[in-house]
């Protein structure tokens, strides 16, 4: 074989190899770009789904607020009072039933939430503020001036990433209120804290 | 030499083709997956929206609505187990609501009616769902059969809050000639069925206890009780209803099995609400005792009656699928006692329990 023929053969072989390497590099870079694009898209999609999830949770909380306000377990029954109101005697009982002995049942209704009622008017200040109303407080002569909060239900997850709080004003009915043994009305707030 | 030079470009083309196919199949797979995810997300949104709509209607004593869905979708209620709601392939949602309907609905516009169930105090709302594929044909000569379809008798003083099955449901009367093609549900009120059950014809008989279910004299809905018979090609199944809302439920339920699902949910909630009133009576008695030397014994009697009702409900809950008229009588009697004691409190000028 002459020298020029050998040189030619080597030249073509190197050209082929270079061509192949170029091909591989092009495909590699295109793949990297595609992967980067997918990662970016997935990130944006995930954020959008999380935002949607937050909106759905908000909407659900608003619907549940109205539904809880009308639950027979806490609302004033028609022979007790015709006006829409929340019966504070039932609120005391709710703690024993809804957040106590029947919690398993009500967990499917409420889910991961804290549901409470707080008196806002007349304002009770000082040591009484944020005091939970319990059976002991109910038995005292000064009730309902010795507490302003009734916790109906509470179920927190192990880790909380988001809390969505929503509330609505309600009329609170006190049957046989302490001061003069007459039934009494006050103004309160029904609060739902939804956990994620 | 020439043959070897010819191999390299061919190999390149093959390599490019293979790489291109791999990339293309990856994108096609991603697109298909994305499409499935969008569909699933849509189904989940629909089932959540449906649940929200039902919860929003819960505050009404009597309301109806047509819920527009994104497209004609399959909705499964109380299937395969009681208390679940599902749209197409969405995850099942557990619900404590009492929903009376066909177990499988297919609609782009879902018809919903809700009525408050009181026995004798308000316990929960019942929901009645239909997809518009079924014609309800009410047959009967009595007042109730007319009232169910919205006919008020001329010249007779009627009633506050006259209640009837809303027009959005396809409810027809005796004189109607059924159209072919649609599924028909024949509802016979206090008379024997004159139609045999068939694949497109469901048959139901409602036998009321006396005349307590019609609207004459503004009767309380809780006085309406009776027996329901679901007729199937292989036989018939009987159960009971107590309260007007439950009578409506028997009309919309697919069969006894589906009806029993909602009956169970109703018993469960009735037990919880009754516990609340039992404790209320107890606290009122305790407060009365604090205030007076001789507290009112009616509070104690009503507390004990409520406790008896709770025990009865717990026992009946276990056999809810085999309830008889005797069970119905037992619950009805206890309800009467509780109602009367509550009235006694009112007449004595004391705060009522409910």
């Amino acid at each position: 074989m002459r020298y020029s023929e050998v040189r030619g053969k080597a030249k073509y072989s190197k050209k082929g190899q270079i061509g192949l390497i170029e091909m591989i590099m092009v495909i590699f870079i295109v793949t990297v770009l595609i992967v980067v694009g997918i990662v970016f898209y997935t990130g944006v999609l995930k954020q959008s789904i999380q935002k949607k999830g937050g909106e759905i949770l908000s909407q659900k909380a608003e619907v549940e607020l109205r539904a809880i306000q009308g639950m027979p377990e806490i609302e004033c029954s028609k022979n007790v009072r015709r006006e829409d109101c929340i019966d504070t005697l039932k609120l005391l009982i709710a703690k024993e039933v809804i957040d106590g002995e029947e919690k398993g049942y009500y967990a499917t209704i409420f889910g991961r939430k804290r549901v409470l009622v707080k008196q806002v008017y007349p304002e009770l200040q000082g040591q009484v503020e944020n005091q939970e109303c319990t059976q002991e407080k109910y038995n005292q002569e000064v009730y309902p001036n010795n507490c302003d909060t009734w916790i109906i239900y509470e179920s927190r997850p192990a880790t909380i990433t988001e809390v969505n709080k929503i509330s609505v004003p309600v009329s609170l009915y006190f049957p046989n209120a302490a001061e003069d043994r007459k039934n009494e009305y006050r103004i309160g707030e029904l609060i739902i804290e939804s956990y994620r | 030499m020439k043959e070897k030079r010819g191999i390299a470009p061919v190999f390149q083309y093959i390599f490019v083709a293979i790489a291109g196919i791999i990339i293309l199949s990856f994108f096609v797979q991603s697109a298909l997956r994305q499409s499935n995810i969008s569909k699933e997300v849509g189904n989940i949104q629909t089932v959540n929206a449906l649940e929200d709509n039902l919860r929003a209607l819960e505050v009404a004593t009597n309301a109806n609505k047509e819920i527009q869905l994104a497209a004609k979708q399959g909705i499964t209620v109380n299937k395969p187990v009681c208390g679940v709601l599902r749209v197409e392939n969405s995850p099942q949602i557990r619900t404590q609501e009492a929903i009376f309907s066909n177990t499988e609905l297919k609609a782009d516009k879902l018809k919903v009616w809700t009525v408050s169930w009181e026995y004798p105090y308000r316990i929960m709302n019942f929901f009645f769902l239909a997809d518009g594929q079924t014609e309800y044909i009410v047959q009967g000569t009595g007042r109730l059969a007319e009232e169910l379809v919205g006919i008020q008798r001329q010249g007779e003083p009627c009633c506050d809050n006259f209640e009837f099955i809303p027009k959005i449901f396809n409810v027809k009367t005796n004189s109607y000639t059924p159209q072919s093609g649609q599924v028909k549900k024949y509802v016979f009120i206090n008379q024997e069925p004159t139609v045999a059950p068939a694949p497109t014809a469901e048959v139901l008989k409602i036998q009321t206890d006396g005349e307590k279910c019609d609207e004459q004299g503004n009767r309380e809905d809780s006085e309406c009780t009776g027996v329901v018979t679901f007729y199937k090609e292989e036989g018939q199944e009987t159960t009971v209803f107590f309260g007007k809302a439950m009578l409506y439920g028997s009309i919309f339920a697919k069969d006894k099995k589906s009806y029993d699902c909602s009956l169970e949910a109703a018993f469960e909630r009735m037990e919880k609400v009754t516990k609340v009133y039992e404790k209320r009576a107890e606290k009122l008695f305790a407060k009365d005792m604090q205030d007076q030397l001789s507290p009112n014994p009616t509070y104690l009697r009503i507390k004990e009656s409520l406790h008896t009702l709770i025990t009865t409900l717990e026992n009946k809950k276990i056999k809810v699928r085999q309830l008889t008229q005797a069970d119905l009588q037992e619950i009805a009697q206890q309800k009467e006692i509780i109602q009367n004691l509550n009235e006694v409190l009112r007449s004595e000028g004391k705060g009522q329990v409910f």
Side-chain angles (χ1 to χ4, degrees):
Chain A
M1 202 183 280
R2 285 185 288 188
Y3 176 69
S4 59
E5 280 178 357
V6 170
R7 254 189 82 185
K9 211 162 78 172
K11 197 169 151 190
Y12 283 125
S13 168
K14 273 194 185 152
K15 258 195 184 166
Q17 281 176 351
I18 288 166
L20 193 60
I21 290 166
E22 273 175 8
M23 178 81 48
I24 292 168
M25 287 302 297
V26 163
I27 289 174
F28 176 73
I29 287 165
V30 164
T31 309
V32 163
L33 285 172
I34 290 169
V35 166
V36 164
I38 288 170
V39 165
F40 178 71
Y41 172 73
T42 312
V44 166
L45 190 66
K46 192 177 166 188
Q47 267 189 344
S48 147
I49 288 173
Q50 275 179 343
K51 190 178 167 197
K52 192 80 185 171
E55 279 171 16
I56 289 172
L57 204 67
S58 244
Q59 271 172 23
K60 270 187 124 50
E62 279 187 37
V63 167
E64 280 170 351
L65 197 61
R66 303 293 166 194
I68 289 169
Q69 203 181 345
M71 281 180 79
E73 288 90 335
I74 65 170
E75 71 166 358
C76 295
S77 39
K78 64 178 182 195
N79 291 328
V80 171
R81 267 300 172 264
R82 288 210 166 261
E83 301 87 1
D84 288 339
C85 59
I86 287 185
D87 186 339
T88 55
L89 194 50
K90 282 186 180 177
L91 288 179
L92 281 174
I93 295 162
K95 181 84 183 166
E96 294 170 39
V97 176
I98 297 174
D99 202 36
E101 42 192 271
E102 304 293 347
K103 193 160 185 175
Y105 174 83
Y106 286 98
T108 54
I109 296 176
F110 292 114
R112 295 286 192 194
K113 280 186 188 60
R114 187 166 178 249
V115 182
L116 61 148
V117 172
K118 194 166 168 12
Q119 180 180 312
V120 296
Y121 185 83
E123 266 182 81
L124 300 176
Q125 287 169 344
Q127 286 180 334
V128 177
E129 202 176 351
N130 295 322
Q131 282 291 311
E132 190 182 346
C133 295
T134 59
Q135 184 61 45
E136 290 74 34
K137 294 239 169 14
Y138 175 73
N139 290 338
Q140 290 169 10
E141 275 286 318
V142 293
Y143 180 84
N145 297 321
N146 53 358
C147 60
D148 67 354
T149 305
W150 296 262
I151 296 176
I152 299 170
Y153 172 87
E154 187 165 9
S155 176
R156 291 172 183 256
T159 48
I160 300 171
T161 52
E162 192 181 325
V163 180
N164 183 17
K165 188 172 171 179
I166 194 166
S167 66
V168 70
V170 291
S171 174
L172 299 178
Y173 169 68
F174 292 84
N176 295 318
E179 287 159 4
D180 54 2
R181 299 296 170 213
K182 279 188 190 161
N183 301 328
E184 193 182 321
Y185 285 95
R186 295 187 182 187
I187 296 173
E189 223 185 355
L190 172 63
I191 301 167
I192 296 181
E193 293 173 3
S194 307
Y195 302 123
R196 272 177 87 194
Chain B
M1 293 289 179
K2 275 181 186 172
E3 290 84 4
K4 276 189 185 172
R5 268 208 302 266
I7 289 168
V10 168
F11 176 74
Q12 278 182 352
Y13 298 145
I14 292 168
F15 186 71
V16 164
I18 292 169
I21 289 166
I22 291 169
I23 291 170
L24 194 64
S25 61
F26 170 76
F27 277 114
V28 165
Q29 206 183 29
S30 296
L32 284 172
R33 206 176 283 164
Q34 183 66 20
S35 161
N36 286 339
I37 288 171
S38 298
K39 233 182 187 178
E40 272 183 43
V41 166
N43 289 339
I44 291 168
Q45 280 182 321
T46 303
V47 77
N48 274 295
L50 183 57
E51 204 202 7
D52 286 348
N53 268 286
L54 295 183
R55 286 224 78 188
L57 285 171
E58 242 180 80
V59 297
T61 49
N62 187 332
N64 63 82
K65 186 177 178 176
E66 284 186 308
I67 299 174
Q68 186 71 46
L69 304 175
K72 197 160 191 175
Q73 287 172 301
I75 298 162
T76 315
V77 181
N78 291 328
K79 192 178 176 183
V81 293
C82 292
V84 296
L85 199 57
R86 192 181 196 183
V87 173
E88 300 283 350
N89 297 323
S90 76
Q92 289 175 351
I93 283 189
R94 284 220 63 90
T95 176
Q96 299 288 6
E97 311 287 6
I99 303 174
F100 296 87
S101 72
N102 272 350
T103 47
E104 285 172 9
L105 302 161
K106 188 106 182 157
D108 54 358
K109 220 187 247 185
L110 193 64
K111 297 158 201 301
V112 180
W113 179 31
T114 187
V115 169
S116 178
W117 180 50
E118 297 185 4
Y119 203 78
Y121 31 79
R122 183 171 165 254
I123 294 165
M124 65 192 300
N125 271 37
F126 285 172
F127 292 92
F128 314 109
L129 267 51
D131 54 13
Q133 310 290 333
T134 306
E135 282 184 323
Y136 298 91
I137 302 162
V138 176
Q139 309 255 5
T141 50
R143 195 188 187 102
L144 177 62
E146 292 170 359
E147 286 174 358
L148 283 175
V149 297
I151 297 169
Q152 292 185 44
R153 288 192 176 174
Q154 295 294 330
E156 284 189 2
C158 196
C159 20
D160 305 330
N161 303 318
F162 177 53
E163 198 173 79
F164 54 90
I165 302 174
K167 303 284 183 208
I168 57 170
F169 300 100
N170 257 334
V171 187
K172 312 290 181 190
T173 58
N174 295 323
S175 54
Y176 175 72
T177 308
Q179 306 289 320
S180 62
Q182 278 205 302
V183 173
K184 292 155 264 298
K185 181 148 192 181
Y186 293 92
V187 182
F188 293 90
I189 309 287
N190 295 325
Q191 71 178 56
E192 287 303 312
T194 52
V195 173
T200 56
E202 297 168 15
V203 180
L204 178 79
K205 179 186 161 193
I206 297 174
Q207 188 69 42
T208 61
D209 290 334
E211 299 284 320
K212 295 180 192 168
C213 289
D214 59 44
E215 294 281 340
Q216 192 179 17
N218 282 325
R219 278 200 195 90
E220 284 205 10
D221 287 352
S222 59
E223 287 182 51
C224 175
T225 57
V227 173
V228 169
T229 308
F230 293 91
Y231 290 86
K232 294 166 93 166
E233 287 175 274
E234 51 270 18
Q236 62 196 50
E237 293 175 303
T238 302
T239 183
V240 297
F241 66 89
F242 38 103
K244 194 92 172 272
M246 222 177 258
L247 180 155
Y248 299 139
S250 67
I251 296 172
F252 288 93
K254 164 90 180 157
D255 49 27
K256 183 177 177 297
K257 188 177 171 188
S258 159
Y259 177 83
D260 285 342
C261 276
S262 301
L263 199 59
E264 264 181 47
F267 266 83
E268 188 85 51
R269 191 70 182 270
M270 189 174 177
E271 192 197 320
K272 313 301 180 223
V273 173
T274 307
K275 269 190 187 164
V276 169
Y277 283 116
E278 183 202 5
K279 290 181 190 287
R280 194 172 192 279
E282 193 181 311
K283 289 192 190 311
L284 286 171
F285 177 72
K287 208 67 176 174
D288 212 32
M289 205 157 67
Q290 236 178 1
D291 298 344
Q292 300 179 35
L293 286 170
S294 54
N296 195 312
T298 312
Y299 283 128
L300 211 54
R301 286 187 1 232
I302 200 172
K303 178 204 170 310
E304 284 162 5
S305 301
L306 285 163
H307 187 78
T308 306
L309 180 58
I310 291 168
T311 311
T312 306
L313 290 170
E314 277 168 357
N315 294 337
K316 300 297 175 216
K317 215 169 52 172
I318 299 163
K319 53 169 275 191
V320 76
R321 292 171 195 276
Q322 293 115 35
L323 287 178
T324 62
Q325 208 153 4
D327 298 315
L328 174 62
Q329 296 300 338
E330 194 183 339
I331 294 171
Q333 270 169 15
Q334 287 173 14
K335 170 234 158 201
E336 282 297 314
I337 293 168
I338 291 165
Q339 210 165 1
N340 292 338
L341 287 170
N342 202 45
E343 270 304 302
V344 165
L345 286 169
R346 187 183 65 81
S347 61
E348 290 172 352
K350 304 295 279 185
Q352 291 176 284
V353 173
F354 59 85

